[in-house]
Amino acid sequence: MSGQSSLSYPEMLELFEKNDKWAAEVRKRDPGFFPRHYPGQRPEILWIGCSDARVPETTIMGCQPGDIFVHRNIANLYSPQDDSLNAVMMIALQNFKVKHIVVTGHTNCVGCQTALNVSLLPTTKAATPLQKYIEPLATLSRTLFVDKRPPSLDLLVEENVLQQVKNLAECDVIKNDWKRRGTDGVRVHGWVYHLEDGTIRDLNCSIGPPGHVPGQRLVNNYF
């Protein structure tokens, strides 16, 4: 397939220039950084977050490349039929034996706002990919109506995270990890990132394998 170079586009050229500058700064600050990361990765956390460009997990957690394994989608949703996320979890749990999975929603979420808007309309058959994808979240929104009044966006964001933590804890990939690793199996957490001040809030909904001890520091055994 033939085509033009990305560098023909000014905005793409700017990104390449930024990459060159970043790579040079990293090599100067830590000459061993790239050679050290090239052979492989050993993340301890799988982050399931929203695709929103304002929520870059590595940046807001003060981490470095290689620290966090990542899956992002619209409104940080999970369903058992999501082969993409199921595959990510299998790699994270079987190859890297991550200790924690974190579902992270965020304030002013466009995906949640879209679902909230849909929940205000009469129920119709979803037709577009976005409508089909957001349908479970719109259904969740409808369950939160009080006296025909819709929930606030902030409430829907929180309840969505709680629902996804529950969905994950009930999925086969997580259950199989708990069977395989016992009390050392993965813990699942729910957080909300606040765009307005850059802080993360724990929703106190963490779930682990039967018999696990909350607060116990886990040690990865890769071999």
Side-chain angles (χ1 to χ4, degrees), residues 42-85:
R42 286 291 182 263
E44 297 186 345
I45 296 172
L46 167 59
W47 175 285
I48 300 174
C50 183
S51 300
D52 195 297
R54 300 166 294 177
V55 193
E57 67 293 322
T58 301
T59 300
I60 66 175
M61 296 300 294
C63 293
Q64 297 294 320
D67 290 346
I68 303 176
F69 204 56
V70 180
H71 180 91
R72 295 171 66 177
N73 60 39
I74 301 298
N76 40 271
L77 299 181
Y78 171 75
S79 76
Q81 292 75 41
D82 187 343
D83 284 342
S84 176
L85 181 45

Side-chain angles (χ1 to χ4, degrees), residues 158-173:
E158 290 186 13
E159 290 297 324
N160 178 45
V161 170
L162 295 173
Q163 183 62 53
Q164 304 319 310
V165 169
K166 179 181 178 181
N167 290 349
L168 287 168
E170 295 175 349
C171 80
D172 289 341
V173 178

Side-chain angles (χ1 to χ4, degrees), residues 16 36 38-39 42 98 131 139-141 147 169 185-186 193-194 211 216:
F16 272 80
R36 188 168 61 250
Y38 174 77
R42 286 291 182 263
V98 298
Q131 290 171 344
T139 298
L140 175 63
S141 178
D147 296 329
V186 70
Y193 173 67
H194 288 259
Q216 184 180 45

Side-chain angles (χ1 to χ4, degrees), residues 58 134 151 174 199:
T58 301
I134 218 74
I174 299 295
T199 60

Side-chain angles (χ1 to χ4, degrees), residues 32-219:
F33 181 85
F34 294 114
R36 188 168 61 250
H37 280 73
Y38 174 77
Q41 56 182 315
R42 286 291 182 263
E44 297 186 345
I45 296 172
L46 167 59
W47 175 285
I48 300 174
C50 183
S51 300
D52 195 297
R54 300 166 294 177
V55 193
E57 67 293 322
T58 301
T59 300
I60 66 175
M61 296 300 294
C63 293
Q64 297 294 320
D67 290 346
I68 303 176
F69 204 56
V70 180
H71 180 91
R72 295 171 66 177
N73 60 39
I74 301 298
N76 40 271
L77 299 181
Y78 171 75
S79 76
Q81 292 75 41
D82 187 343
D83 284 342
S84 176
L85 181 45
N86 282 329
V88 168
M89 288 196 295
M90 290 181 70
I91 291 292
L93 295 172
Q94 295 178 21
N95 290 44
F96 307 138
K97 296 181 174 61
V98 298
K99 301 175 182 178
H100 304 278
I101 294 177
V102 181
V103 180
T104 307
H106 65 90
T107 55
N108 201 25
C109 176
V110 175
C112 285
Q113 183 64 67
T114 301
L116 184 55
N117 293 341
V118 170
S119 72
L120 296 170
L121 303 173
T123 303
T124 58
K125 182 176 177 59
T128 70
L130 178 58
Q131 290 171 344
K132 294 175 182 177
Y133 177 82
I134 218 74
E135 191 170 31
L137 187 50
T139 298
L140 175 63
S141 178
R142 292 187 184 98
T143 68
L144 300 173
F145 276 51
V146 176
D147 296 329
K148 297 184 179 181
R149 296 194 305 273
S152 66
L153 179 56
D154 284 346
L155 177 60
L156 182 56
V157 166
E158 290 186 13
E159 290 297 324
N160 178 45
V161 170
L162 295 173
Q163 183 62 53
Q164 304 319 310
V165 169
K166 179 181 178 181
N167 290 349
L168 287 168
E170 295 175 349
C171 80
D172 289 341
V173 178
I174 299 295
K175 288 182 177 178
N176 288 338
D177 178 76
W178 289 350
K179 289 179 182 178
R180 186 170 58 251
R181 291 203 281 169
T183 56
D184 290 331
V186 70
R187 278 68 164 155
V188 185
H189 312 269
W191 298 349
V192 171
Y193 173 67
H194 288 259
L195 286 166
E196 53 270 39
D197 62 14
T199 60
I200 291 176
R201 181 163 52 89
D202 181 21
L203 296 185
N204 297 310
C205 61
S206 298
I207 301 175
H212 82 285
V213 179
Q216 184 180 45
R217 179 173 288 277
L218 303 178
V219 177

